[in-house]
């Protein structure tokens, strides 16, 4: 509680919600065994060095407003959170982290086709193909 003569100061960058979200990222993105295995296979088949990381992100677009993106990067960019899950390096930018908290990245090779699947608890709607979502 503030007293009459107390002065409030703005929080520093370290106290912002982005920094708070980064603090728990290791528990917030889940990588299934099938996804980890497929990422490892893709890297080996394409001669992608182990030092590279999987960039997981969100961008505007798709029929539900936002879509997921995956790719490989040589290194993390400024501001990225870099984590390692079961030997796979993952890079996430701050904006994407906001939408991906609690998401499980999985891989399916079922009757409806092969591909990576994002099981995102933050998505309130998604398209039929599962590649875009809205919050």
């Amino acid at each position: 509680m503030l007293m009459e003569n107390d002065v409030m100061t703005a929080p520093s960058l370290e106290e912002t919600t982005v920094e708070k979200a980064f603090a728990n990222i290791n528990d917030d993105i889940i990588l299934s065994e099938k996804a980890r295995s497929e990422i490892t296979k893709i890297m080996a088949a394409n001669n992608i060095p182990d030092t590279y990381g999987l960039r997981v992100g969100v961008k505007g677009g798709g029929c539900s407003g936002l879509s997921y993106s995956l790719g490989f990067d040589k290194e993390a960019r400024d501001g990225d959170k870099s984590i390692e899950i079961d030997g796979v390096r993952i890079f996430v930018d701050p904006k994407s982290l906001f939408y991906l908290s609690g998401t499980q990245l999985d891989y399916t090779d079922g009757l409806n086709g092969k591909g990576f699947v994002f099981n995102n608890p933050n998505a309130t709607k998604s398209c039929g193909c599962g590649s875009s979502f809205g919050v």
Side-chain angles (χ1 to χ4, degrees):
M1 177 190 324
L2 289 176
M3 302 302 287
E4 188 174 327
N5 294 329
D6 289 341
V7 177
M8 283 186 63
T9 57
S12 68
L13 178 61
E14 293 78 31
E15 296 170 328
T16 64
T17 55
V18 170
E19 290 300 320
K20 287 178 184 175
F22 275 174
N24 295 318
I25 189 71
N26 287 329
D27 297 329
D28 288 345
I29 293 182
I30 301 143
L31 190 62
S32 76
E33 178 58 32
K34 285 180 85 172
R36 189 203 58 75
S37 177
E38 191 62 25
I39 292 165
T40 303
K41 286 179 193 174
I42 291 169
M43 290 178 76
N46 292 286
N47 296 318
I48 299 171
D50 291 341
T51 56
Y52 277 54
L54 179 69
R55 176 161 300 282
V56 180
V58 172
K59 60 184 178 178
C63 49
S64 294
L66 297 168
S67 60
Y68 300 108
S69 63
L70 289 173
F72 291 100
D73 274 353
K74 183 176 183 177
E75 57 191 25
R77 299 177 190 153
D78 285 344
D80 280 350
K81 179 66 177 185
S82 178
I83 60 174
E84 188 170 323
I85 301 174
D86 296 328
V88 175
R89 292 178 65 199
I90 298 176
F91 304 137
V92 185
D93 67 89
K95 177 184 162 194
S96 296
L97 177 64
F98 176 77
Y99 295 105
L100 295 173
S101 178
T103 297
Q104 179 196 43
L105 180 59
D106 197 4
Y107 183 81
T108 184
D109 54 1
L111 296 174
N112 292 330
K114 294 181 182 183
F116 288 96
V117 177
F118 289 81
N119 298 312
N120 187 344
N122 304 305
T124 57
K125 62 181 178 176
S126 64
C127 65
C129 66
S131 65
S132 70
F133 70 102
V135 289

